[in-house]
């Protein structure tokens, strides 16, 4: 099982927003200022920057400073999977953690905790297998098809 991140600034609710931001960056032909990207996503600039920080650390997004600064993908969209985003945001085991934490400190609770940890690990592995099948390029192409 994966360790629980200590100071997670991004929650599972921002996972979709992070993917949305990457898709929008993949559709842009230039460096995208944070104000512009935030406006496209209908969110705050400060929130957007905080959300993109772990993606920059994971080398999925490049941040450029200065007057002409902003964000762009750090590598081609066909090489960025949803699993990469999941890992970068450190969203390990959001559902399974609740199961594990809910066990009480008694004999049966301790037995359940071990079983919950095993189930949780299997769910995490299955989730990553599915997420590996989808790239930012694929998602952007599907959006473009819907717009036609």
């Amino acid at each position: 099982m994966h360790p629980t991140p200590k100071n997670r600034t991004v929650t599972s609710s921002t996972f979709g927003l992070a993917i949305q931001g990457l898709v929008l960056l993949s559709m842009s032909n230039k460096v995208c200022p944070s104000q512009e990207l935030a406006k496209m996503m209908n969110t705050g600039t400060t929130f957007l920057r905080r959300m993109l920080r772990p993606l920059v650390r994971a080398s999925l997004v490049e941040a450029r400073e200065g007057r002409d600064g902003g964000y762009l993908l750090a590598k081609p969209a066909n090489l960025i999977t949803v699993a990469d985003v999941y890992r970068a945001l450190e969203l390990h085991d959001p559902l399974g953690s609740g199961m594990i934490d809910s066990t009480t400190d008694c004999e049966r609770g301790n037995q359940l905790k071990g079983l919950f940890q095993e189930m949780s690990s299997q769910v995490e592995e299955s989730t990553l297998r599915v997420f590996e099948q989808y790239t930012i390029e694929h998602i952007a192409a599907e959006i473009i098809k819907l717009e036609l």
Side-chain angles (χ1 to χ4, degrees):
M1 187 168 119
H2 299 285
T4 304
K6 294 178 186 128
N7 294 323
R8 184 168 43 185
T9 56
V10 179
T11 64
S12 58
S13 63
T14 56
F15 181 46
L17 286 172
I19 293 168
Q20 180 181 344
L22 292 173
V23 168
L24 291 171
L25 289 174
S26 77
M27 296 171 148
S28 176
N29 296 330
K30 58 182 177 59
V31 175
C32 191
S34 57
Q35 296 89 347
E36 186 180 318
L37 186 58
K39 186 176 180 181
M40 285 190 281
M41 293 177 63
N42 196 27
T43 191
T45 306
T46 302
F47 172 78
L48 175 81
R49 289 179 184 142
R50 224 178 269 141
M51 180 186 69
L52 290 175
R53 195 175 302 139
L55 303 179
V56 171
R57 277 194 303 267
S59 299
L60 300 177
V61 173
E62 183 181 330
R64 293 191 180 165
E65 296 189 25
R67 192 180 71 177
D68 297 324
Y71 296 94
L72 68 155
L73 294 183
K75 54 184 170 181
N78 68 324
L79 298 179
I80 301 173
T81 67
V82 173
D84 295 329
V85 179
Y86 183 86
R87 287 184 193 103
L89 297 178
E90 299 179 342
L91 295 173
H92 302 294
D93 205 20
L95 179 62
S97 295
M99 288 174 51
I100 294 164
D101 293 343
S102 71
T103 58
T104 58
D105 191 18
C106 65
E107 182 182 345
R108 295 254 163 93
N110 290 330
Q111 292 167 342
L112 278 174
K113 187 176 281 195
L115 291 171
F116 286 171
Q117 287 172 330
E118 179 59 30
M119 288 189 305
S120 179
S121 292
Q122 289 178 25
V123 168
E124 176 89 358
E125 290 167 13
S126 296
T127 299
L128 286 169
R129 276 195 302 274
V130 171
F131 287 168
E132 286 288 350
Q133 297 174 35
Y134 294 91
T135 65
I136 297 302
E137 179 182 67
H138 173 83
I139 295 169
E142 291 298 315
I143 297 302
I144 291 168
K145 274 194 233 175
L146 291 172
E147 291 175 352
L148 298 178

